[in-house]
Every structure is written in C-alpha cells, then in structure tokens.
Amino acid sequence: MGSPDYLSIFFKIIGSLALLIYGMKVMSEALQKMAGSQLRHILGAMTTNRFTGLLTGTFITSAVQSSSATTVMTVSFVNAGLLTLAQAISVIMGANIGTTLTAWIMSLGFSVDLGKVVFPTFIVGIILIYSRRYRYIGDFLFGIAFMFFSLVLLSSAGADLKLDQSPELIDFFRSFDTGSYLTILVFLAIGTVITCIVQSSAAVMAITILLCSTGVLPIYLGIALVMGENIGTTITANLAALGANTQARRAALAHLMFNVFGVIWVLCLFYPFVNKVCSMVGYDPSSAHASPQRLSVVLAAFHTSFNVCNTALLIWFIPQMERIVCRMIKPSRRDEEEDFRLRFISSGIMQTPELSVLEAQKEITSFAERIQRMFGMVRDLLGTTDESAYIKLYARIEKYESIADNMEIEIAKYLDSVSDAHLSDETKAKIRAMLREISEIESIGDSCYNIARTINRKRKGKEDFTEEQYEHIHQMFELTDDSLTQMNVLLSGRRDNFDANRSFNIENEINNYRSQLRSQNINDINDHKYTYAIGTMYIDVIGECEKLGDYVINVVEARMGTRQKNS
C-alpha cells in the first residue's frame, strides 16, 4: 500500500468545503426566492410573544439552512423598526435551534452513502433550472445536490487520508489531556477563531465531524470545537450591525451574549453533560472499542442538546438580557435629522438580496418623511420675520436639499448593488419602482428649495406679497402638504389598504387651483393691484407647488405599480 498523496487530498478537502458553503448558499437563496415577501411577512407577523418568536426563528432557519441569514435578517428588521429588541432576541434563540439541523444533515452524510442520490438530483435540478416556472425549485435541488456531493467528497477524503493509521497524528491528539479544562478551553478558542475567519460554522462543523469520524480527534475535544463554533458564528450578525442603528447593534450583541452564556454554563457541567448526550445515542467515550462512525451522531446530538437546553433556560430571562444590552450600548447622541446618514441601509456585509429590498423601502420611507419636513420648513420660512431666525431656517433648507441629493445617490447605489445578484422577477420590478420613487422624491426636494429661493428673492427686494396673495399661497401650501401626507401614508403602510384616489383628487385640486390663480394673477397685474415682478414671484411659488404635486403622484404611481397621465 502506497502512502496517501496529502497535497491532492488537502485540495480535495478544501474544494469539498467550498462546495458545501456554495451549496448551502444556493439552497438558502433559492428558498428565500420561493418564499419571497412571505418570508419577511412571517418573520414580522409571527413574533407576538417570545414563544412564537422562538418557533419562527427555528422554522425559518431550518428552512433556509442558515442561522447567519436569519440573524442578519432579524438585525435588519430591528434596524427597520419592524421588530422590537425582545422579539429579535427570541427569534435569534430559535435560529440557534434551527441551525442544528445542519449538523444532522452532515452526520447523515458521514454515516450513509449519499452518492446514489446526488447525481439524479443534479439531473432533475438542471432540467428545472431551464424551466421558467420551476427554476427556483431547480436552484434548491442543485444546492442540496452540491451540499450532499461535498459531504460524499469529504467522507472519501477522510478515508483516503487514513488518519486512523497515522500513529503520529493519533499520538498528537492523545497528548492532550481530555480530562483537563485547560485543554477544553484551548480547543474552544480554536473553534471560535476558525469560525470567525471562515465565516461559516457549517464548514468548521464538517471538519470536526471528519476528524472525529476517522477516530483521530477525541469526542471531548470535538465538542469543545463545536462550542467554539457557536460563539464564532455570532460574528456575522455583529459585523452586519456595525453600520446599523442602536437597537440593531443591541440585537447582535444579545446573540453573542446568548451563546457565550450557554458555553459558560455547559463548561461548568461539561463532562456530566457530554457523557449524558453520549449515553442518549448509545456511545461510550471511555470504551476502546467504541465505533468512531457514531461520533458524527454524538456531535449532532450535542449541538442540538446544547442549543435546546440553553434556549429553555434563557427564554425566561429575555427582559433581563434586553436591559443588559441596553446598558452596554447607549443610544447615539448625534442629531440624525440634521446629518446625512442612511438609517436603515447598513454598511459592511451585503444582506441577502431578496431581504435587502425591505431595508431600501424603509430608507425610502425615511427619505420621503425628511422631504415633508423640508416642505414644513419652507412654509415656516414664508412667515418668518426675525432676520436671525430666517437666516438659520434658510440655511437648514439648503442643507436638506444637499442631503436629498446624497440620499438619492446612496440609495440608488445600494439598489444597483442588490440588482447585480440573482433576483426573482417580483423583486426586480420592485427595484425598478424604487429607483423611480427616489428620483421623484429628490425632485420634490428640488421644488421645495426652488420655493425657498423665490421667497428669499422676494425678501431681498423692496416689495412684498399682498394679503390676498399670502392667503392663496397658504391655501396652496395646505393642499401640497396634504398630498405629501398621503404619499407618506402609502410609503409607510401596505398599498393594499391605500386609496390612491385621494392622492389623485388632491392633485386635481392643486391643478385647478393653480389654473385659477394663474388667470387671476394676469387680471390683478392688469388692474395694477401689484407689480409684474411680485406677480412673477408669486406665480413661481404657485407653479412650483403644482410641479411638486406632480412628483408626488409619480411616487404614488411607482409604489402602486400604475401609470396615469398628469395634467
């Protein structure tokens, strides 16, 4: 018998892990595309209390096979204000239970020959991928096939290594005292660091199962690595929360706290707890004749027992966990209204594309609300007589106009980066509508700034509007503000419950009132009630309000998915 080609086997293992991660990614994204908005709706609706939140997190993570996807999604929901911190903590607890299914699938791959089902799955998957109607099912099957194929390759590579026939490696691991807590802590730290680096607890779990199933790595050290993986996997949500708001960072910290606390209490009962799990699956860690193949089952059983027991213990202390993370992460004092900052689109790690649409929608809602505040400042500017207050208010309006330009660019960049991914047709249509929305909202900001500039030009001149002109402008402002309010009601709620006719009726009122005032303005100038110059500035304000109303209707049409010709 020749010695193994270690370089070839090494690349085979690395390639298998790459296939495993890719397969899980494809499978997860395909499920999210199939679920679409229902997945977001489930997470938002089924969290009425800590127990439904727990079940929701378990269900979604079991379905998409990625606790990172669920926790990152949960953090983004907290960031968007759709989940409270307490609800998010319960969902994250459920995600920790749901992710244990991955370990059982891997255990199956190392215990059963999956080679007979992999290739037929590939064939069915590729056929469905080229079918427009069932392509997401094809993607899902392809992901599963890649995942199983990677496990077959890993198992084969483990056998090729002949680790059980390598006395040097066996002696190396046996040199560690498995009865020492120091050894357990060292391997726990190794598992944490490796998982943080590779950003995939599944890959590290696969390596752990490979080493244990070949009989090289003792079960106590393998379980220490698994405990480290539980801590290391929390880094994903914490990285995703770096650019998010205070509540989202608290949710990510709660995830880390949950796993760290679980590791601490399990370490206190480490040997009795591990021995109990071993006895549950019929494995004797002290026996020299114990089958190494059963170790993959022991690891999966421990992973499940650890997370279930930890959740059962900590679910009663969610309010206390909430208070602790609130004390550790204080709210930011920076004035979000006066500084350009995206509130809901987080920087750093790109979210799952299908779920990123939600964050973009919340950012657009925030954008529209900010623009309505800008219009409120313009209304105040018209009636401000104090020179110092006037200068400050005009400077704020100028700053808001600059913020509007930046927000349009940044949201568009984000949507463009999301659109580069593989998306469902429904999501692509939403992104096109959102790009139209932000363009029209930015135009509303331009109109507000144009009105402010006209008011400023009037103030620098020697003439003023007549009382009748002021009255007409205030009436037009009132109609315009009503149209902005209706637009924000639509953007912040569900379009199914929105009556678009109200927006169109307000727009018709604005158009009719503009036409009426335009005709009256010509007559008033001819009757010498005021000069042509002041009449021009007056009608500029009225006309800009009418343009603003058109932009509002364009936003409503984009959101409702309709088109209607404006007058």
Side-chain angles (χ1 to χ4, degrees):
M1 292 176 64
S3 61
D5 183 356
Y6 289 111
L7 183 62
S8 174
I9 296 172
F10 171 76
F11 282 118
K12 186 176 181 180
I13 292 173
I14 297 299
S16 301
L17 291 174
L19 267 183
L20 175 68
I21 295 170
Y22 177 72
M24 293 188 70
K25 179 177 181 291
V26 170
M27 185 177 70
S28 176
E29 289 185 354
L31 279 165
Q32 291 176 56
K33 287 176 187 175
M34 283 191 280
S37 59
Q38 285 78 15
L39 192 61
R40 298 192 291 270
H41 180 67
I42 289 170
L43 189 54
M46 290 182 60
T47 50
T48 52
N49 58 58
R50 67 186 75 178
F51 298 104
T52 55
L54 173 70
L55 291 173
T56 303
T58 305
F59 167 73
I60 291 180
T61 308
S62 298
V64 303
Q65 275 301 289
S66 174
S67 61
S68 294
T70 305
T71 51
V72 167
M73 179 176 24
T74 304
V75 166
S76 67
F77 270 48
V78 175
N79 193 39
L82 298 179
L83 288 181
T84 65
L85 182 57
Q87 289 172 328
I89 293 172
S90 66
V91 172
I92 288 169
M93 287 181 175
N96 275 269
I97 295 176
T99 194
T100 62
L101 181 63
T102 306
W104 286 106
I105 293 174
M106 291 182 184
S107 171
L108 179 69
F110 281 89
S111 307
V112 179
D113 182 14
L114 297 173
K116 295 178 181 178
V117 298
V118 166
F119 296 106
T121 307
F122 271 126
I123 294 170
V124 175
I126 198 66
I127 292 171
L128 294 179
I129 284 173
Y130 283 97
S131 165
R132 181 175 180 82
R133 185 175 178 181
Y134 300 106
R135 66 184 184 279
Y136 299 142
I137 298 176
D139 286 339
F140 172 71
L141 290 176
F142 235 63
I144 285 184
F146 272 126
M147 185 176 169
F148 285 167
F149 187 49
S150 69
L151 294 175
V152 170
L153 292 176
L154 272 175
S155 180
S156 169
D160 292 342
L161 278 173
K162 301 176 183 176
L163 296 177
D164 55 336
Q165 298 177 19
S166 173
E168 296 85 1
L169 191 63
I170 293 173
D171 290 341
F172 171 74
F173 281 112
R174 282 182 179 172
S175 67
F176 292 98
D177 182 8
T178 56
S180 167
Y181 268 99
L182 180 61
T183 303
I184 301 302
L185 288 172
V186 167
F187 275 80
L188 188 149
I190 292 171
T192 303
V193 171
I194 294 175
T195 308
C196 288
I197 292 171
V198 301
Q199 281 288 292
S200 174
S201 58
V204 184
M205 175 66 80
I207 288 292
T208 306
I209 291 176
L210 174 65
L211 291 173
C212 286
S213 62
T214 54
V216 172
L217 187 67
I219 187 60
Y220 293 114
L221 303 185
I223 285 176
L225 288 176
V226 171
M227 291 167 65
E229 292 156 19
N230 272 270
I231 296 176
T233 193
T234 63
I235 195 67
T236 306
N238 279 277
L239 287 173
L242 286 177
N245 63 19
T246 303
Q247 286 292 84
R249 294 199 304 275
R250 287 169 175 169
L253 179 61
H255 186 207
L256 175 62
M257 274 182 55
F258 172 78
N259 282 6
V260 169
F261 181 82
V263 166
I264 289 171
W265 74 256
V266 168
L267 280 174
C268 295
L269 304 169
F270 184 74
Y271 294 102
F273 189 86
V274 173
N275 291 336
K276 182 65 177 175
V277 172
C278 289
S279 65
M280 285 168 53
V281 296
Y283 179 84
D284 183 4
S286 60
S287 173
H289 303 290
S291 170
Q293 282 72 27
R294 292 200 62 80
L295 286 178
S296 60
V297 179
V298 174
L299 289 173
F302 171 82
H303 196 211
T304 302
S305 302
F306 167 75
N307 282 291
V308 169
C309 292
N310 197 30
T311 300
L313 179 64
L314 291 182
I315 195 169
W316 309 103
F317 299 97
I318 287 178
Q320 288 77 9
M321 290 178 67
E322 186 177 12
R323 283 197 290 271
I324 291 171
V325 294
C326 287
R327 286 176 186 168
M328 294 177 69
I329 299 180
K330 302 292 184 184
S332 173
R333 292 184 178 180
R334 64 184 295 179
D335 186 357
E336 292 183 352
E337 302 304 329
E338 296 301 315
D339 290 314
F340 168 62
R341 176 177 176 268
L342 297 179
R343 296 172 58 196
F344 302 107
I345 293 175
S346 55
S347 58
I349 295 178
M350 170 61 69
Q351 314 294 325
T352 306
E354 295 286 333
L355 303 170
S356 301
V357 175
L358 176 76
E359 289 192 346
Q361 185 60 62
K362 294 297 291 185
E363 198 67 66
I364 291 171
T365 302
S366 173
F367 186 14
E369 289 170 352
R370 193 189 289 261
I371 289 296
Q372 186 168 14
R373 286 195 294 274
M374 181 182 180
F375 182 73
M377 293 176 204
V378 173
R379 295 181 70 177
D380 293 340
L381 188 72
L382 183 65
T384 302
T385 55
D386 181 73
E387 186 66 24
S388 175
Y390 178 88
I391 292 171
K392 287 181 180 177
L393 189 56
Y394 188 76
R396 285 186 72 196
I397 292 170
E398 284 187 312
K399 188 170 186 178
Y400 264 61
E401 203 279 330
S402 175
I403 288 172
D405 291 341
N406 289 329
M407 287 192 75
E408 180 196 17
I409 292 168
E410 292 304 316
I411 296 172
K413 281 182 181 177
Y414 182 77
L415 289 172
D416 186 55
S417 65
V418 172
S419 64
D420 287 340
H422 297 292
L423 301 169
S424 62
D425 293 337
E426 180 188 359
T427 304
K428 288 177 183 175
K430 283 182 182 177
I431 289 177
R432 286 194 296 270
M434 286 179 182
L435 288 170
R436 185 184 174 201
E437 287 170 20
I438 60 173
S439 174
E440 300 296 341
I441 292 171
E442 193 277 331
S443 296
I444 294 173
D446 288 342
S447 288
C448 291
Y449 184 52
N450 289 338
I451 295 171
R453 289 171 62 192
T454 303
I455 295 171
N456 193 48
R457 195 166 73 247
K458 184 268 300 178
R459 189 180 181 91
K460 289 179 179 178
K462 297 179 180 179
E463 297 181 88
D464 197 3
F465 294 139
T466 65
E467 287 188 15
E468 188 179 19
Q469 284 177 319
Y470 270 114
E471 184 181 338
H472 292 156
I473 290 173
H474 285 309
Q475 287 178 1
M476 179 61 89
F477 278 175
E478 193 64 37
L479 285 170
T480 307
D481 193 58
D482 285 345
S483 70
L484 287 167
T485 300
Q486 284 299 305
M487 178 187 76
N488 279 316
V489 167
L490 171 61
L491 291 176
S492 61
R494 290 178 64 84
R495 67 182 185 182
D496 302 341
N497 303 325
F498 181 79
D499 183 8
N501 289 327
R502 294 186 64 183
S503 290
F504 291 121
N505 290 338
I506 295 172
E507 166 64 5
N508 288 332
E509 286 187 59
I510 291 173
N511 290 339
N512 294 334
Y513 196 44
R514 182 274 319 263
S515 300
Q516 176 190 330
L517 295 180
R518 183 185 285 170
S519 300
Q520 186 178 339
N521 179 62
I522 295 171
N523 294 331
D524 289 344
I525 291 173
N526 290 334
D527 293 341
H528 304 291
K529 290 185 178 180
Y530 43 78
T531 65
Y532 182 83
I534 200 71
T536 301
M537 286 186 278
Y538 162 68
I539 213 66
D540 281 348
V541 172
I542 298 299
E544 206 63 58
C545 285
E546 191 277 330
K547 285 183 186 176
L548 193 155
D550 286 343
Y551 298 138
V552 168
I553 286 299
N554 291 340
V555 173
V556 170
E557 288 176 349
R559 182 74 178 89
M560 298 293 292
T562 59
R563 287 184 178 273
Q564 182 164 323
K565 186 178 180 182
N566 291 317
S567 58

